[in-house]
């Protein structure tokens, strides 16, 4: 089964079973909604524990969650430093807009210029605020490609191929 991270449990909060979560998803309203099912992977463990979100609220930079049947700090303490994940089936509920992709779809794509020259492979995606920036590992050095219309001309997820317009000074 393929798993996708949606958050990291950094600590407990209070004594009533709340956990502090740092979100790693763009779909917080869906992932952490009351009734949502999440898989908790405890630190250094390979098997998940399925939980259902009972309550959710924001506190500072964190999302505070409680899970059904776990209303005591002793029950959630083992989840500290664990990861919250969902399956591929759960991603199908997300509604991506045109020209939006999951990071896992973009990573490992090969990048080519409009002339057919291979530039490299996308190894990471940086969130800069205005737009994402793709780290592309070339044969000799790392390139940073902004995900903007003027640069990215074609994305073929099925063939893991992206074509860009190489503007002056980009590479």
């Amino acid at each position: 089964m393929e798993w996708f991270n949606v958050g990291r449990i950094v600590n407990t909060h209070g004594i009533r079973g709340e956990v502090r979560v740092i979100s790693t998803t763009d779909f917080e309203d869906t992932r952490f909604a009351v009734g949502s099912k999440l898989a908790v992977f405890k630190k250094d463990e390979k098997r998940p524990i399925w939980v259902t979100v009972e309550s959710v609220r924001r506190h500072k930079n964190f999302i505070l969650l409680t899970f059904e049947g776990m209303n005591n700090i002793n029950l959630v303490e083992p989840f500290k430093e664990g990861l919250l994940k969902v399956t591929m089936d759960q991603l199908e509920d997300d509604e991506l807009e045109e020209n939006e992709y999951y990071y896992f779809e973009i990573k490992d794509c090969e990048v080519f210029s409009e002339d057919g020259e291979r530039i490299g492979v996308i190894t990471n995606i940086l969130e800069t605020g205005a737009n994402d920036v793709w780290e592309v590992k070339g044969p000799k050095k790392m390139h940073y490609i902004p995900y903007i219309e003027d640069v990215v001309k074609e994305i073929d997820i099925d063939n893991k191929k992206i074509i860009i317009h190489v503007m002056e000074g980009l590479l």
Side-chain angles (χ1 to χ4, degrees):
M1 186 174 295
E2 198 167 3
W3 297 97
F4 300 95
N5 289 344
V6 295
R8 186 168 51 89
I9 299 173
V10 293
N11 209 343
T12 57
H13 185 85
I15 62 169
R16 293 200 168 93
E18 274 187 313
V19 293
R20 285 186 190 185
V21 174
I22 294 178
S23 173
T24 56
T25 179
D26 287 334
F27 298 95
E28 289 178 1
D29 293 343
T30 304
R31 295 289 165 250
F32 304 124
V34 172
S36 293
K37 299 213 179 298
L38 299 169
V40 177
F41 283 80
K42 292 188 212 173
K43 187 178 178 181
D44 301 325
E45 292 206 13
K46 303 282 187 237
R47 300 191 76 160
I49 297 169
W50 285 96
V51 296
T52 302
V53 175
E54 183 173 71
S55 71
V56 58
R57 66 186 178 106
R58 280 213 159 273
H59 178 69
K60 298 182 181 174
N61 295 330
F62 302 101
I63 296 173
L64 300 180
L65 300 177
T66 59
F67 305 122
E68 289 180 3
M70 298 185 177
N71 57 359
N72 182 303
I73 189 173
N74 297 326
L75 298 173
V76 296
E77 184 85 28
F79 295 165
K80 278 174 44 173
E81 298 184 38
L83 295 175
L84 295 172
K85 298 185 179 193
V86 295
T87 64
M88 178 65 93
D89 294 346
Q90 291 171 290
L91 292 182
E92 292 172 4
D93 295 338
D94 300 336
E95 292 186 26
L96 295 178
E97 294 182 19
E98 187 177 344
N99 297 324
E100 286 188 338
Y101 302 91
Y102 292 111
Y103 285 180
F104 74 89
E105 293 177 310
I106 297 298
K107 282 185 180 178
D108 300 323
C109 282
E110 286 190 284
V111 179
F112 295 87
S113 71
E114 291 171 304
D115 300 332
E117 178 188 348
R118 184 180 183 280
I119 295 166
V121 175
I122 297 175
T123 58
N124 195 16
I125 299 171
L126 308 172
E127 295 179 35
T128 63
N131 55 270
D132 289 346
V133 175
W134 298 339
E135 280 186 354
V136 178
K137 185 174 179 13
K140 296 181 181 168
K141 68 178 196 170
M142 193 69 80
H143 303 285
Y144 295 90
I145 309 296
Y147 178 45
I148 57 175
E149 283 184 31
D150 291 345
V151 174
V152 179
K153 296 302 177 185
E154 186 179 324
I155 298 176
D156 182 352
I157 294 301
D158 295 332
N159 294 311
K160 300 296 272 181
K161 182 178 179 181
I162 296 174
I163 297 174
I164 66 167
H165 171 69
V166 180
M167 302 170 96
E168 187 175 329
L170 183 64
L171 305 177

